[in-house]
Amino acid sequence: MKKIPQAEATFHSWGLCGRAIRRRRGYEIYVGKLDNTEIDFIATKQENKLYIQAAQEIGAPETEKCKYGRLLDIRDNYPKYILRADAFAGGNYEGIKTMHIADFLLSDEY
């Protein structure tokens, strides 16, 4: 894991999500590596950890396999999220919560 410097919070189009989690909730934000794949965000605060994959939309089966597969490969019990920006966000797949980005940022569950 490498820490994202404060000034580099807009490292891609989902930088807003990382900044919001850091500022509003007090988490440290990292980009995670698992084998040769990347986890978009790993948010840590004391003993708490969140794994987050972000997607504009998940239209193709390859994208779905990629986003969910990376989180399914993590073998701990910390919460895992897929955050989407499309109208079809919502649900739960094998313990991975799928949410619209706005719903996630406004939620009190993390």
Side-chain angles (χ1 to χ4, degrees), residues 9-100:
T10 57
F11 58 95
H12 60 63
S13 63
W14 287 87
L16 176 62
C17 177
R19 276 197 316 247
I21 294 167
R22 178 176 33 235
R23 287 185 183 163
R24 299 171 112 193
R25 308 295 178 154
Y27 283 86
E28 291 292 326
I29 305 297
Y30 301 87
V31 173
K33 295 283 184 185
L34 182 65
D35 298 324
N36 291 331
T37 63
E38 184 176 284
I39 305 299
D40 293 335
F41 299 106
I42 299 176
T44 62
K45 178 170 67 171
Q46 297 173 358
E47 301 293 322
N48 299 319
K49 187 183 294 186
L50 306 172
Y51 297 103
I52 301 167
Q53 288 288 82
Q56 188 68 29
E57 62 182 357
I58 299 178
E62 300 84 29
T63 305
E64 183 175 46
K65 182 179 178 183
C66 175
K67 292 294 182 180
Y68 284 94
R70 291 176 186 171
L71 294 177
L72 290 170
D73 288 341
I74 300 170
R75 300 290 180 198
D76 63 27
N77 291 321
Y78 290 108
K80 298 169 182 72
Y81 295 91
I82 301 283
L83 302 183
R84 297 172 59 166
D86 61 2
F88 299 104
N92 188 315
Y93 175 73
E94 292 192 28
I96 299 170
K97 293 183 181 181
T98 303
M99 300 176 76
H100 191 277

